[in-house]
């Protein structure tokens, strides 16, 4: 039968749907792989073997009784970022303040996955409340990069991307507020897409920054990522910011792109994302990828987005502002951690003690920045200004997309850094998201696809492809075409990761 | 908690100072569901039985605006002669309190749905006073805290508190007046008349139960004094817990007398929240507001802006009911009331009830007489507001009809009304059950008359001899024998006929 964990989601689905293998066998193979390697990778916070096998059994029974597959991914296992509500598993967001909390409801994304017959293996590690770029801010310990266990897997969704790179799951769900899907994808050599804001429901996604958060698909191939995209996307009446329009045809675009022809596609290279602070090997891999796109027939244009330079500071006002309000609800009154409730203290004191003990330093830092930025007298200078920058960035995108179909840049300025290297330097850590943040501020679609290894350290580099809002399919087409050219004669990119000796 | 405040004589207060009022009224809308979720919007109930992830503020849950509440808000705005915003947003008001599930209230800040209107209120002597409306905005109610173990039922001194979130998320409209100046000695009366008029208006709009006793209409009274002729407002206090129309008047008057004494003694009024005590009619110091609390308002990112189409607003304008004061003017004309009679009717809170009784077919004079005399008396005896008596205008109209057609005498009619008030059913059922019909069968009456004449032969002789006045004794005996269910006038006619005097 070979190693099922090495197959893509599309291949696994074909084998399960043709009854060549059972969904239970596929789930068990991945559970075995998790048991073998996750002690070293620590991608998962919670593995639900029983639930996964039960879900797989249900898929098998339905198929055996002659039913059509519930979706193109029915029977395929998945790793779910621990920021989505699951009624049968804890949802901690990587925080002590939610230790052991089991929600009484499913997120819309969770529900759609279940309805599609996708088998949820467990919940993946993340920076606390999705605040971070290395997964080192998890209250439950860091996740390690399967390409080099001494290095970070990116963040905040390091658990989801590491699970893919370690072959613990063929699919994963992440969330992207400032790059938390794309940056981990880039540094682990996997694919991750941030759909257009409003494309995937946020209902049941524990909010970090409501106007920026977007759930999205992760996979080892562009097609797998597209298939997952279509399973989770679409209008949800429970999310007022959800877009009520047909889901962009990303699977068709991925298949079209795989034909390897980009003739007539105009690709804009963002001039601002290069130069100082960019690792030479990253820039070299990026430029090689651009040349590859040209070779596939794309027209390459240099484009200037002058306000992108201000995206990082604007983001670090808007996101903390919203988080200071979103995280106010963690007050020990109704759920989660409660500290100091010995009958002698006031509710106010219990709230303060609980928040002091339950939140980690990065979360506290952002709550304080946000509280300050929203204060009367400072609001206009900080939050108000940041919103204006946001408008300018949207205009940069709009102007660029009049000239080109997609924009490209490196996903991150550097490859994966060493665990501990940036923990004491928040500014250095924040720079990891330099290239990914503009798409969050403007709300358009963006994804990262692996584009080779950096010469100096042999670690994966990500190519970021950005598309206009609700034109997500454009980036999938370009990514799929590039992927085929990249792997031609070299085998699958993900298979180039070192064996973990399992 | 504080020593009884010094009070200045009211006449001295108004001789030396001009009062400035600001009234904030919170109205709970009587929509079927809550403001941002599908939970039932009903008063009371088993604690925490009408809650869901959204109104409990569970991590990940999101709000969706109740369209019916927006419609009610617009209708209220139109009825208050306000401008209706072409585009407005919700905002988060951030502060920590255990009965607020998210520790922010979803409200409106600088973009209220309705603004800049007025309400003309009629004072006791018929004078019309125009109260300016600053704004009316939408927000959600909080849960309720029950403080157990303290003497006052307030949080200070309580041993512990219980939280009920059934009310959390109930739609509220907050209506804020512009500063009310120029009312002088009539300020307390203006305050009461304003809240009364607002209540009547909201009832006519059928958007709220407007029950002050249940908290579906709540008033906070801001009061300040400035020396006569001054232009700069004095420091204000904000009195909460004003739970009846009478309390509105008393609280304003008390605060004027208290602040007058403070200022006359050379002191300064403290800007603070004060608590009104129904039992003593006094206010006591609550939370100090030395610096304005910083609520760190910012636009609610989980909701999209509201842009009511102008056609919709104009269509809603056509659904506005006749305004109470217009109705009053029309009633006065149609019913031929003097100014004094109209005022009595309005002050007794009977105008709408009389109007509805007339609509149900009763003569205006009869309808008015029932509501302002017997029913007003019964409301007094039973300790409820006239409108809260357990009898409908239609039932009163039916009783009046029964009298008009001779089925009931006025005395019997009062007994029927008593029966309805005691929950014995519809008027006709009470007549049936209590056997209250007038004995109109002449043969039955004649039998009783003959019996009475026989028993009082001397009186009978007097009548026969022409002393008609003596008939009264026989009529009395017959009425007694028929337990008052005979029409005395008819009995008299028959007695005289029987004695040859007809």
């Amino acid at each position: 039968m070979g190693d099922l964990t090495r197959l893509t989601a599309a291949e696994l689905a074909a084998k399960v749907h043709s009854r060549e293998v059972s969904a239970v066998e596929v789930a068990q193979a991945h559970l075995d792989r998790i048991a073998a390697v996750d002690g070293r990778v620590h991608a998962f916070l919670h593995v639900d073997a029983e639930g996964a096998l039960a879900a797989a059994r249900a898929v098998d029974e339905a198929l055996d009784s002659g039913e059509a597959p519930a979706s193109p991914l029915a029977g395929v296992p998945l790793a779910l970022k621990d920021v989505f509500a699951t009624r049968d598993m804890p949802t901690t967001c990587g925080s002590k303040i939610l230790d052991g909390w089991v929600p009484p409801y499913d997120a819309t994304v969770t529900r759609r996955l279940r309805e599609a017959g996708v088998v949820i293996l467990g919940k993946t590690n993340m920076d606390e409340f999705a605040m971070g770029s290395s997964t080192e801010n998890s209250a439950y310990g860091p996740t390690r990069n399967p390409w080099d266990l001494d290095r970070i897997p990116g963040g905040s969704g390091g658990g989801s991307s590491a699970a893919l790179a370690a072959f613990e799951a063929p699919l994963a769900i992440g969330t992207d507020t400032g790059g938390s899907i794309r940056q981990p994808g880039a540094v682990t050599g996997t694919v991750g897409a941030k759909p257009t804001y409003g494309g995937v429901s946020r209902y049941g996604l524990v909010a970090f920054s409501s106007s920026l958060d977007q759930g999205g698909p992760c996979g080892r191939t562009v097609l797998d990522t597209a298939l997952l995209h279509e399973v989770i996307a679409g209008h949800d009446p429970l999310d007022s910011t959800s877009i009520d329009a047909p889901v962009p045809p990303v699977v068709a675009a991925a298949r079209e792109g795989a034909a390897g022809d980009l003739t007539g596609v105009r690709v804009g290279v963002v001039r601002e994302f290069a130069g100082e602070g960019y690792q030479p090997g990253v820039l070299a891999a990026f430029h090689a990828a651009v040349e590859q796109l040209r070779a596939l027939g794309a027209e390459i244009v240099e484009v200037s987005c002058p306000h992108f330079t201000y995206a990082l500071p604007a983001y670090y006002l808007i996101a903390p502002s919203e988080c200071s309000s979103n995280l106010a609800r963690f007050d020990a009154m109704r759920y989660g951690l409660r500290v100091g409730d010995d009958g002698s203290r006031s509710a106010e004191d219990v709230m303060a003690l609980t928040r002091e003990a339950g939140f980690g330093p990065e979360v506290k830092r952002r709550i304080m920045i946000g509280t300050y930025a929203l204060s009367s007298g400072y609001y206009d200078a900080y939050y108000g200004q940041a919103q204006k920058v946001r408008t300018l960035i949207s205009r940069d995108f709009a102007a660029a997309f009049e000239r080109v179909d997609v924009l490209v840049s490196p996903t991150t300025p550097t490859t994966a850094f060493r665990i501990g290297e940036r923990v004491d330097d928040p500014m250095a850590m924040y720079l990891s998201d330099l290239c990914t943040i503009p798409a969050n501020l403007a709300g358009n679609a963006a994804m990262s696809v692996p584009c080779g290894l950096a010469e100096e350290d042999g670690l994966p580099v990500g190519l970021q492809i950005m598309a206009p809002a609700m034109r997500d399919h454009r980036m999938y087409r370009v990514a799929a075409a590039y992927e085929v050219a990249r792997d031609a004669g070299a085998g699958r990119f993900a298979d180039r990761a070192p064996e973990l000796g399992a | 908690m504080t020593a009884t405040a010094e009070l200045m004589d009211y006449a001295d207060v108004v001789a030396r100072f001009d009062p400035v009022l600001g009234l904030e009224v919170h109205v709970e809308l009587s929509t079927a569901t809550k403001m941002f979720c599908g939970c039932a919007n009903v008063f009371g109930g088993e604690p925490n039985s009408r809650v869901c992830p959204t109104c409990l503020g569970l991590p990940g849950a999101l709000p969706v605006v109740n369209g019916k509440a927006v419609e009610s808000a617009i209708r209220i705005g139109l009825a208050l002669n306000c401008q209706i915003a072409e585009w407005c947003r919700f905002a988060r008001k951030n502060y920590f309190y255990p009965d607020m599930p998210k520790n922010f209230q979803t409200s409106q800040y600088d973009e209220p749905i309705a603004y800049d209107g007025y309400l003309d209120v009629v004072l006791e002597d018929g004078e019309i006073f125009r109260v300016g409306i600053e704004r009316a905005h939408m927000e959600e109610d909080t849960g309720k805290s029950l403080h157990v173990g303290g003497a006052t039922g307030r949080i200070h001194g309580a041993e512990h508190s219980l939280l009920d979130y059934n009310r959390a998320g109930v739609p509220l409209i907050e209506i804020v007046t512009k500063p009310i100046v120029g009312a002088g000695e009539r300020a307390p009366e203006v305050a009461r008349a304003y809240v009364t008029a607002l209540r009547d208006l909201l009832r006519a709009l059928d958007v709220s139960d407007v029950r002050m006793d249940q908290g579906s209409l709540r008033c906070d009274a801001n009061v300040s004094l400035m020396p006569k002729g001054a232009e700069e407002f004095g420091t204000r206090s904000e009195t909460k817990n004003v739970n009846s129309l009478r309390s509105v008047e008393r609280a304003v008057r008390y605060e004027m007398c208290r602040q007058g004494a403070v200022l006359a003694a050379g002191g300064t009024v403290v800007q603070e929240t004060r608590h009104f005590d129904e039992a003593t009619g006094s206010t006591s110091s609550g939370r100090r507001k030395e610096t304005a609390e910083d609520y760190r308002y910012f636009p609610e990112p989980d909701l999209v802006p509201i842009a009511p189409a102008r056609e919709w607003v104009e269509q809603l304008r056509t659904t506005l009911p006749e305004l109470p004061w217009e109705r009053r003017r029309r009633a006065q004309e149609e019913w031929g009331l003097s100014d004094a009679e109209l005022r009595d009717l309005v002050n007794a809170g009977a105008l709408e009830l009389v109007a509805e009784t007339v609509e149900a077919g009763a003569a205006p004079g009869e309808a008015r007489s029932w509501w302002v005399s017997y029913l007003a008396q019964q409301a007094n005896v039973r300790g409820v507001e006239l409108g809260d008596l357990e009898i409908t205008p239609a039932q009163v109209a039916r009783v009046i009809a029964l009298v008009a057609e001779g089925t009931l005498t006025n005395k019997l009619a009062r007994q029927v009304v008593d029966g309805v008030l005691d929950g014995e059913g519809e008027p006709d059922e009470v007549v049936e059950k209590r056997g209250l019909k007038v004995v109109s069968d002449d043969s039955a009456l004649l039998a009783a008359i003959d019996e009475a004449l026989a028993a009082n032969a001397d009186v009978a002789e007097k009548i026969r001899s022409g002393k008609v006045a003596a008939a009264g004794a026989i009529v009395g005996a017959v009425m007694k024998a028929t337990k008052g269910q005979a029409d005395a006038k008819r009995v008299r006619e028959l007695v005289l006929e029987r004695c040859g005097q007809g």
Side-chain angles (χ1 to χ4, degrees), chain A residues 59 80-81 123 148 199 249 257 267 273 276 278 305 323 336 347 354 374 376 389 397 412-413 434 452 457 474 484:
Chain A
V59 170
L80 183 60
K81 191 176 182 182
K123 307 292 285 290
D148 178 348
V267 173
F273 288 151
E276 205 188 331
Y278 287 78
C305 295
C323 105
T354 302
L374 289 176
S376 76
V389 170
F397 269 119
T412 60
L434 194 62
D457 53 21
R474 285 191 195 166
V484 169

Side-chain angles (χ1 to χ4, degrees), chain B residues 182-365:
Chain B
E185 62 176 337
R186 307 193 70 171
E189 186 196 342
V190 166
R192 178 185 180 143
Y194 166 73
V195 180
T196 308
L198 193 55
R199 188 194 61 171
D200 291 351
L201 177 65
L202 295 166
R203 186 179 283 153
L205 286 165
D206 196 22
V207 292
S208 169
D209 296 336
V210 287
R211 292 279 297 262
M212 290 189 89
D213 58 330
Q214 291 187 353
S216 57
L217 188 139
R218 312 195 280 268
C219 177
D220 300 338
N222 291 279
V223 177
S224 68
L225 295 179
M226 54 186 179
K228 270 234 171 293
E231 287 190 352
E232 200 179 326
F233 297 169
T235 305
R236 69 173 193 276
S237 64
E238 181 182 8
T239 302
K240 293 190 178 286
N241 195 41
V242 190
N243 293 333
S244 71
L245 295 173
R246 186 162 160 259
S247 297
V248 173
E249 183 162 359
R250 288 168 82 204
V252 169
R253 191 181 174 99
Y254 181 90
E255 270 304 291
M256 286 170 64
C257 293
R258 185 187 69 82
Q259 293 184 15
V262 169
L263 294 172
T268 51
V269 172
V270 178
Q271 183 167 341
E272 63 183 352
T273 298
R274 296 184 70 86
H275 188 86
F276 184 69
D277 184 342
E278 297 267 354
T280 62
S282 62
T283 66
S284 60
S285 178
R287 210 157 25 112
R288 288 235 169 158
K289 279 191 170 176
E290 278 162 7
T291 52
E293 202 155 341
D294 189 348
Y295 292 119
R296 292 173 281 118
Y297 282 101
F298 73 104
E300 167 59 273
D302 284 331
L303 293 170
V304 290
I306 293 177
R310 291 299 98 179
E311 306 79 58
W312 186 42
V313 172
E314 289 315 308
Q315 190 262 320
L316 289 177
R317 199 188 293 279
T318 66
T319 70
L320 295 183
E322 186 177 18
L323 297 174
W325 38 97
E326 285 166 6
R327 178 159 196 157
R328 253 168 241 160
R329 200 170 51 226
R330 191 164 63 89
Q332 186 174 15
E333 275 170 28
E334 286 178 6
W335 305 344
L337 301 179
S338 68
D339 286 352
E341 283 169 333
L342 177 70
R343 200 160 59 237
D344 288 348
L345 215 50
V346 171
N347 290 344
L351 186 115
E352 290 304 311
L353 298 165
V354 170
E356 286 173 40
T357 309
V358 171
E359 266 170 34

Side-chain angles (χ1 to χ4, degrees), chain A residues 123-465:
Chain A
K123 307 292 285 290
T124 56
N125 199 13
M126 55 186 284
D127 285 299
E128 185 175 7
F129 287 107
M131 297 176 201
S133 306
S134 67
T135 318
E136 291 167 291
N137 295 330
S138 168
Y140 303 96
T143 296
R144 291 167 183 276
N145 191 328
W147 288 75
D148 178 348
L149 294 174
D150 291 331
R151 292 182 187 261
I152 59 98
S156 65
S160 284
S161 294
L164 296 174
F167 297 93
E168 294 173 280
L171 295 172
I173 296 286
T175 60
D176 193 313
T177 304
S180 287
I181 287 175
R182 291 163 286 160
Q183 183 258 4
V187 300
T188 59
T190 58
V191 181
K194 181 199 94 71
T196 298
Y197 180 82
V200 173
S201 170
R202 290 187 298 116
Y203 188 77
L205 189 182
V206 180
F208 157 21
S209 180
S210 310
S211 72
L212 301 166
D213 294 343
Q214 183 56 219
C218 310
R220 284 191 298 262
T221 70
V222 174
L223 177 62
D224 285 0
T225 308
L227 288 166
L228 184 56
H229 189 131
E230 288 197 3
V231 164
I232 59 173
H235 181 241
D236 178 10
L238 296 178
D239 174 1
S240 305
T241 60
S242 160
I243 295 172
D244 191 0
V247 175
V250 295
V251 171
R255 295 194 196 283
E256 184 193 352
D261 183 9
L262 292 179
T263 307
V265 176
R266 295 166 303 165
V267 173
V269 176
V270 181
R271 181 189 301 158
E272 283 74 14
F273 288 151
E276 205 188 331
Y278 287 78
Q279 194 177 314
V282 167
L283 289 178
F286 170 68
H287 290 133
V290 171
E291 286 316 308
Q292 186 75 71
L293 295 176
R294 197 195 302 275
L296 289 165
E299 180 192 337
I300 308 295
V301 183
E302 191 180 72
V303 171
S304 174
C305 295
H307 299 97
F308 282 15
T309 324
Y310 304 106
L312 193 75
Y315 174 86
Y316 277 100
L317 289 168
I318 291 168
S321 293
E322 293 183 4
C323 105
S324 72
S325 175
N326 282 329
L327 269 57
R329 72 189 63 197
F330 300 102
D331 63 0
M333 294 296 117
R334 291 161 297 277
Y335 46 79
L337 185 71
R338 180 180 286 184
V339 175
D341 181 19
D342 58 5
S344 75
R345 292 194 172 89
S346 68
E348 215 165 61
D349 288 344
V350 170
M351 281 184 193
L353 288 168
T354 302
R355 290 168 68 80
E356 167 61 28
F359 288 139
E362 182 62 25
V363 170
K364 286 179 189 162
R365 173 162 33 236
R366 297 201 196 184
I367 289 174
M368 285 188 283
I369 292 171
T371 302
Y372 186 78
L374 289 176
S375 301
S376 76
Y378 297 101
Y379 179 92
D380 289 341
Y382 295 120
Y383 190 79
Q385 278 300 105
Q387 290 292 5
K388 285 179 195 160
V389 170
R390 200 168 178 173
T391 304
L392 295 173
I393 286 169
S394 293
R395 287 185 192 157
D396 279 1
F397 269 119
F401 286 132
E402 278 183 16
R403 296 179 53 204
V404 298
D405 299 309
V406 295
L407 289 169
V408 295
S409 77
T411 307
T412 60
T414 69
T415 55
F417 45 89
R418 289 183 192 285
I419 290 174
E421 193 180 313
R422 295 188 187 175
V423 281
D424 297 324
D425 188 352
M427 285 311 292
M429 187 74 88
Y430 295 171
L431 286 172
S432 309
D433 296 329
L434 194 62
C435 308
T436 46
I437 283 173
N440 297 91
L441 291 174
N444 55 299
M447 70 189 291
S448 178
V449 61
C451 68
L453 304 176
E455 209 179 350
E456 55 269 65
D457 53 21
L459 291 168
V461 176
L463 167 68
Q464 179 177 229
I465 309 171

